[in-house]
Amino acid sequence: NAGVTQTPKFRVLKTGQSMTLLCAQDMNHEYMYWYRQDPGMGLRLIHYSVGEGTTAKGEVPDGYNVSRLKKQNFLLGLESAAPSQTSVYFCASSYGKGPYNEQFFGPGTRLTVL
Amino acid sequence: KNEVEQSPQNLTAQEGEFITINCSYSVGISALHWLQQHPGGGIVSLFMLSSGKKKHGRLIATINIQEKHSSLHITASHPRDSAVYICAVRAPYGGATNKLIFGTGTLLAVQP
């Protein structure tokens, strides 16, 4: 099993460009999450999904959109990238929502917006 | 003030030393997680606990719910333990999501 994979691993964008980050998991998990990690701050939740076809906003959703058309995939889109979106993005998945449901993280995508 | 505070932010130790990383939180929780992030790498879960103590190899995690405090201990530290250690707390039951609130992490460097 590959676990949680993310594509791409690195990307440089110019301000105003758009892109989509792909997260895929092969563990049949219901819950999927997108986080961003910035220096001096803890991981912050952007959007999450509690099942195929559902999405919901997290703490910092502005400037991002998501889709969960298939259970195994969770896409994060930036329609018009801004320098403030320079960050490392992590996708995670979990089987359920109970307190002991471990979240499995992908390797991260390092995004730079110039 | 962050809901989850970790100390120290940075820690340098010599190989073999006993290491303690602390996590304090200000919200009610149903569980606390310790995670490890290697440089340039992904994030893996080390422990999930809501009371008492858990041990895995040289790692020990404890939690005191009344004091809203948890510690991660590493015995006989080794350079391969060098990583960022992240504390995260889970909201109480009834939440709509499996939401975690993360600390900013403790960067540990173990020198040979």
Side-chain angles (χ1 to χ4, degrees), chain A residues 33 35 37 42-43 90-94 99 101-106, chain B residues 4 6 21-23 31-39 41-49 59-61 70-74 81-90 98-108:
Chain A
Y33 314 83
Y35 295 97
Q37 186 179 42
L43 285 155
F90 286 95
C91 175
S93 71
S94 66
N101 271 276
E102 180 181 353
Q103 288 191 16
F104 292 82
F105 287 83
Chain B
V4 180
Q6 289 185 234
I21 299 170
N22 297 299
C23 175
L32 183 142
H33 295 235
W34 282 102
L35 307 114
Q36 181 191 56
Q37 182 176 22
H38 277 282
I43 300 167
V44 295
S45 179
L46 296 174
F47 293 103
M48 294 178 283
L49 65 166
L59 300 178
I60 303 166
S70 176
S71 294
L72 177 68
H73 305 287
I74 304 175
D81 297 325
S82 298
V84 175
Y85 291 85
I86 300 170
C87 172
V89 299
R90 185 175 306 288
N98 206 16
K99 184 174 185 278
L100 290 171
I101 306 169
F102 294 84
T104 55
T106 293
L107 176 60
L108 171 65

Side-chain angles (χ1 to χ4, degrees), chain A:
Chain A
N1 288 347
V4 181
T5 59
Q6 292 182 231
T7 309
K9 289 187 169 51
F10 303 93
R11 186 73 185 267
V12 178
L13 290 178
K14 294 182 179 178
T15 297
Q17 287 184 318
S18 63
M19 78 164 294
T20 300
L21 283 68
L22 171 64
C23 175
Q25 52 94 5
D26 61 2
M27 296 174 283
N28 201 34
H29 284 170
E30 290 293 335
Y31 285 65
M32 296 188 75
Y33 314 83
W34 276 108
Y35 295 97
R36 61 179 288 172
Q37 186 179 42
D38 301 295
M41 304 186 76
L43 285 155
R44 292 182 292 167
L45 184 63
I46 305 171
H47 285 280
Y48 65 97
S49 169
V50 302
E52 180 178 314
T54 75
T55 63
K57 293 180 180 179
E59 296 175 69
V60 288
D62 294 342
Y64 305 95
N65 56 75
V66 288
S67 64
R68 184 106 180 263
L69 298 178
K70 293 183 179 181
K71 186 176 184 179
Q72 63 267 33
N73 295 337
F74 195 28
L75 278 63
L76 178 70
L78 286 72
E79 288 189 349
S80 180
S84 61
Q85 294 178 303
T86 294
S87 188
V88 181
Y89 292 87
F90 286 95
C91 175
S93 71
S94 66
Y95 179 73
K97 70 172 185 177
Y100 292 102
N101 271 276
E102 180 181 353
Q103 288 191 16
F104 292 82
F105 287 83
T109 295
R110 185 172 295 275
L111 174 65
T112 301
V113 182
L114 302 175

